Amino acid sequence: MDKIDQTDEPTRRTSYGQRRKDRIDALAAASIDEEPGISLIRSAWKRLRRNPIFLVGLAITVAFVVLAAIAPWIAPWDVTASPLLDKVRPQTNPVPGPEPGHLLGGDDRGRDLFSRLLVGSRQTLVVGVFATLFGLLGGLTLGTIAGALGGWVDSLVMRIVDVLLSVPSLLLAFTVASLAREPSQWTLIIAIAIVQVPIFARLLRGAMLAQRSSDHVLAARSLGVRPWAIVFRHMLPNAMGPVIVQATLSLAVAIIDAAALSFLGLGNPDQRQPEWGQMLGLAQRYISEAPHLAFYPAGCIIVVALGFTLMGESLREALDPKSRR
Amino acid sequence: MTQQTHRPSQFGGGSAEPLLSVRDLRVTFQRHGEEAFHAVDGVSFDVRPGQTVGLVGESGCGKSVTSLAIMGLLPDRGNHVEGTAVFDGEDLLTLSRSAMRDRRGSDIAMIFQDPLSSLNPVVTIGRQVTEVMERHQGLSRKEATPKAADLLERVGIPDPKARLANYPHQLSGGMRQRALIAMALACNPRLLIADEPTTALDVTIQAQILALLKELVVDTGTALVMITHDLGVVAGLCDEVNVLYGGKVVERGGRHGLFKNPRHPYTVGLLNSIPRLDAVRGEKLSPVPGSVADNLPWTSACAFAPRCSNAIAPCTQETPQWDGDEVVGFRCFNPMGGPR
């Protein structure tokens, strides 16, 4: 077997699961700083402030969050109403085009497309944030247990995590989501969260193990500090760096996964409430007559996911001592 | 190996019963399917209240492992500890984990080599000092904070109240080591183990930290175990010196005796490798040749023999026995200055 490459380029013969594991471990390893936390964050911020890539990502993210927050109040039309219904002609003109007052035209039920895109950002945000949050919580719990206790508990938890990681994430999310009797926004959130858990767990466990053998943990032990205080006061706060970076990147993945699952019809069954993935799914039918119906929600998904990724990647780069210029 | 009769130390410091009495300490590292490695191979020494005892040797001689074993801080797996380390009538090596945790920080404390990495980077200095007092003395954080400020002042940190709110990276190297010393002293331990406390510091700061440690030992009667590779540190601080090689004590003596009349060739080698002001200009330093990788097993030879300029035939055939007592002695077939 070839030696596993520690860079981003996986060697040909490593398995899918192994590649994912390696990538996560490389992230965890990058967190072992030679500099202390606070100055690290400060110097990272200094570099981030001048990094145009980070600023673009930040701008997209902030714009997205603000728009999602105020969407219902700024949307020109009610998303469930069909003001353009009388323009819909199933045979000749299934999708009404743009006209004054309707910037992007309507969808096949005469609903204002622009308003639906705007309000659709809310579900995307909610699913993305909650899925990442739950994934983070689950991953933190498992990673802390494994990293703090070690031994057979660590082995058990990490084998389960490895199994979960060996399944392609979308397939896993799809399976979990389809197990739910009634699909809803929450089954979507839980399905995506379950996909995120092993990533966070492995990342945190790696960082916790590095902390465990660190000098300051030894020093704390030499002063008789109790084990729980060692874990929660001395290890966990110092192991969180890569996890926070991963959370930013995971938001992008969660948003894409949410859109994919909604597209496949596993999302919110209430089709009156807009969601980008679901809008994309409905656009399929009119892809030749009205490609813009697919283009707009897809563009939104891409831009938002790009925003989170740009931000997360530059954050990772800034915190990674190895990539410092 | 050593006589069990007690003789008061003739090298200053306390003369009472030993506070810590380490006997035949052995630490063996063994991983699955690998050969056992004897990091510490039968080390014995005593520390009396108010006394400063040095453990000296180069990297890999087992001095740090000795201290970690006494503190119960060795990793859970992959090692085996034998022997006794009696502290105040109790064998530390057989204490339960929680009992040992109660001792650490209150009765015995330790100072580490690298002050920056030994402090938690995301917790303030004040919080790290009060944590120890909260843990062992049952104080609230509010009660502990003024005491922490006093403590920082005592170890020579200026403007201690302001420093309490600082993070480790905001302090200089010397201040960090002082903060670490403050944490170790927070509960007035009776035994302090300092593992190379000055190695990571500037020379001027080194002198300050050593002076501080000396002062604390004199003021409080704390016993100090000083682990170092630097004979200069030993010369300035220690009452008694144990020279370690390959996990065994190869020579022991009071600092004056040891410096004036070293017996073991390894001790001589260590002394010769110190640069001297009065040496002839251009004269080369004479380091001990080879490295610890050349060691022979103690079971059938003297581990130091391959590097020894004084080696004779028995050195590679038999284990040299301890020639001396609890206070002075060496382990050599062909010591400097002839046999005892």
Side-chain angles (χ1 to χ4, degrees):
Chain A
M1 180 101 180
D2 286 342
K3 254 199 164 170
I4 293 149
D5 216 51
Q6 279 300 318
T7 59
D8 284 351
E9 251 59 67
T11 43
R12 253 177 302 123
R13 263 181 270 174
T14 50
S15 69
Y16 171 79
Q18 188 60 47
R19 285 204 307 273
R20 291 185 75 192
K21 281 190 257 169
D22 289 345
R23 219 172 306 143
I24 294 169
D25 289 348
L27 269 179
S31 74
I32 309 160
D33 325 303
E34 72 269 6
E35 276 187 62
I38 302 296
S39 71
L40 184 78
I41 289 166
R42 195 168 291 170
S43 73
W45 173 240
K46 244 185 210 162
R47 259 170 294 130
L48 283 176
R49 238 176 11 193
R50 284 180 280 121
N51 183 351
I53 294 174
F54 174 76
L55 294 178
V56 169
L58 187 70
I60 294 173
T61 308
V62 169
F64 166 62
V65 172
V66 169
L67 283 179
I70 60 172
W73 292 277
I74 60 163
W77 296 91
D78 180 0
V79 288
T80 53
S82 301
L84 294 167
L85 193 58
D86 51 344
K87 301 259 168 52
V88 178
R89 299 284 175 275
Q91 302 305 319
T92 56
N93 182 25
V95 179
E99 58 180 79
H102 301 279
L103 193 60
L104 304 175
D107 65 4
D108 61 332
R109 283 166 212 187
R111 295 174 293 202
D112 182 53
L113 189 59
F114 179 67
S115 301
R116 285 182 71 79
L117 277 179
L118 210 53
V119 176
S121 62
R122 286 170 78 84
Q123 274 205 43
T124 305
L125 182 69
V126 166
V127 172
V129 167
F130 276 97
T132 304
L133 206 64
F134 290 155
L136 189 64
L137 280 179
L140 279 184
T141 314
L142 288 183
T144 307
I145 290 173
L149 295 181
W152 66 268
V153 181
D154 180 31
S155 302
L156 181 73
V157 171
M158 291 327 284
R159 289 304 79 74
I160 296 171
V161 162
D162 286 350
V163 168
L164 286 176
L165 277 177
S166 67
V167 183
S169 58
L170 199 57
L171 196 65
L172 181 63
F174 188 87
T175 314
V176 175
S178 56
L179 286 175
R181 214 165 293 157
E182 286 170 46
S184 71
Q185 204 176 350
W186 290 102
T187 58
L188 203 64
I189 288 173
I190 288 168
I192 297 168
I194 286 176
V195 173
Q196 311 265 13
V197 164
I199 299 173
F200 286 119
R202 192 171 171 96
L203 197 57
L204 187 70
R205 180 253 187 186
M208 288 285 276
L209 283 186
Q211 286 298 317
R212 210 166 132 163
S213 53
S214 73
D215 285 352
H216 70 87
V217 166
L218 184 69
R221 288 177 61 212
S222 83
L223 292 168
V225 177
R226 291 181 204 280
W228 63 264
I230 299 249
V231 170
F232 291 105
R233 201 177 297 147
H234 295 274
M235 284 163 70
L236 198 54
N238 284 297
M240 284 299 285
V243 176
I244 290 165
V245 172
Q246 179 61 37
T248 325
L249 293 169
S250 282
L251 273 167
V253 177
I255 285 167
I256 293 172
D257 283 1
L261 292 181
S262 297
F263 175 84
L264 295 167
L266 289 164
N268 195 341
D270 182 2
Q271 305 225 329
R272 286 171 307 168
Q273 289 304 320
E275 203 280 333
W276 291 345
Q278 172 223 70
M279 289 165 78
L280 206 53
L282 294 176
Q284 269 184 115
R285 240 182 296 166
Y286 308 103
I287 196 78
S288 53
E289 301 98 313
H292 71 275
L293 219 50
F295 177 78
Y296 292 127
C300 288
I301 294 167
I302 290 169
V303 169
V304 170
L306 188 70
F308 281 114
T309 309
L310 291 181
M311 207 169 72
E313 281 293 339
S314 35
L315 206 58
R316 186 174 67 80
E317 210 169 276
L319 289 171
D320 180 358
K322 271 181 279 178
S323 67
R324 263 179 230 176
R325 280 143 288 181
Chain B
M1 181 166 97
T2 47
Q3 295 168 11
Q4 289 303 310
T5 50
H6 174 68
R7 256 181 32 185
S9 167
Q10 66 214 60
F11 305 112
S15 58
E17 283 295 308
L19 179 65
L20 173 73
S21 180
V22 178
R23 284 291 170 274
D24 206 20
L25 181 71
R26 282 166 205 278
V27 182
T28 312
F29 290 112
Q30 186 161 31
R31 305 178 96 182
H32 269 296
E34 284 178 33
E35 212 177 308
F37 174 68
H38 304 282
V40 179
D41 197 359
V43 165
S44 305
F45 64 93
D46 287 339
V47 189
R48 296 185 171 75
Q51 197 186 23
T52 301
V53 172
L55 299 182
V56 188
E58 67 199 305
S59 306
C61 71
K63 52 195 198 297
S64 289
V65 176
T66 303
S67 66
L68 291 178
I70 294 168
M71 292 291 285
L73 289 174
L74 287 171
D76 294 341
R77 285 183 297 174
N79 65 68
H80 183 66
V81 181
E82 284 170 274
T84 57
V86 178
F87 177 83
D88 200 18
E90 276 177 318
D91 183 5
L92 296 177
L93 303 183
T94 56
L95 279 183
S96 72
R97 277 158 179 263
S98 69
M100 194 58 217
R101 245 188 335 259
D102 289 340
R103 295 279 176 293
R104 285 202 296 264
S106 63
D107 286 332
I108 316 171
M110 196 162 168
I111 305 169
F112 292 91
Q113 178 172 349
D114 183 352
L116 180 53
S117 67
S118 300
L119 288 164
N120 186 340
V122 300
V123 178
T124 60
I125 298 294
R127 190 77 194 82
Q128 294 190 55
V129 178
T130 54
E131 182 180 28
V132 190
M133 293 193 263
E134 287 169 45
R135 161 70 178 88
H136 290 293
Q137 299 178 335
L139 299 176
S140 70
R141 201 190 301 186
K142 228 176 168 180
E143 293 165 330
T145 303
K147 290 193 170 197
D150 291 346
L151 208 55
L152 291 191
E153 189 159 27
R154 199 170 120 207
V155 296
I157 296 183
D159 198 6
K161 286 213 177 68
R163 294 285 89 81
L164 286 177
N166 282 160
Y167 288 90
H169 76 275
Q170 294 172 306
L171 301 185
S172 67
M175 288 300 138
R176 285 176 203 141
Q177 191 59 287
R178 287 173 194 269
L180 266 186
I181 293 174
M183 285 162 64
L185 293 178
C187 299
N188 303 313
R190 285 184 286 166
L191 176 68
L192 194 60
I193 301 177
D195 188 354
E196 307 247 10
T198 58
T199 307
L201 302 174
D202 289 351
V203 182
T204 46
I205 310 293
Q206 282 186 12
Q208 292 174 16
I209 294 292
L210 289 177
L212 172 67
L213 285 173
K214 197 171 187 175
E215 189 188 309
L216 292 168
V217 170
V218 171
D219 287 355
T220 59
T222 305
L224 178 65
V225 174
M226 191 77 188
I227 295 167
T228 182
H229 64 268
D230 184 349
L231 282 172
V233 170
V234 172
L237 204 60
C238 300
D239 302 312
E240 189 189 297
V241 186
N242 295 284
V243 180
L244 265 69
Y245 190 83
K248 276 190 193 295
V249 177
V250 292
E251 181 161 11
R252 167 180 306 151
R255 93 181 120 159
H256 296 297
L258 196 86
F259 275 84
K260 211 162 140 196
N261 188 18
R263 303 300 300 274
H264 197 282
Y266 180 58
T267 315
V268 176
L270 282 181
L271 286 169
N272 285 345
S273 55
I274 304 177
R276 295 170 64 110
L277 265 184
D278 53 359
V280 182
R281 242 184 118 169
E283 189 187 37
K284 279 191 181 165
L285 275 176
S286 47
V288 184
S291 78
V292 281
D294 305 326
N295 283 2
L296 290 176
W298 276 116
T299 44
S300 60
C302 169
F304 185 61
R307 302 173 64 187
C308 183
S309 54
N310 255 23
I312 49 174
C315 295
T316 53
Q317 289 153 12
E318 300 170 47
T319 310
Q321 296 303 312
W322 182 252
D323 185 358
D325 55 26
E326 286 171 29
V327 180
V328 227
F330 51 85
R331 187 188 292 282
C332 186
F333 288 117
N334 188 19
M336 300 305 215
R340 254 161 99 92

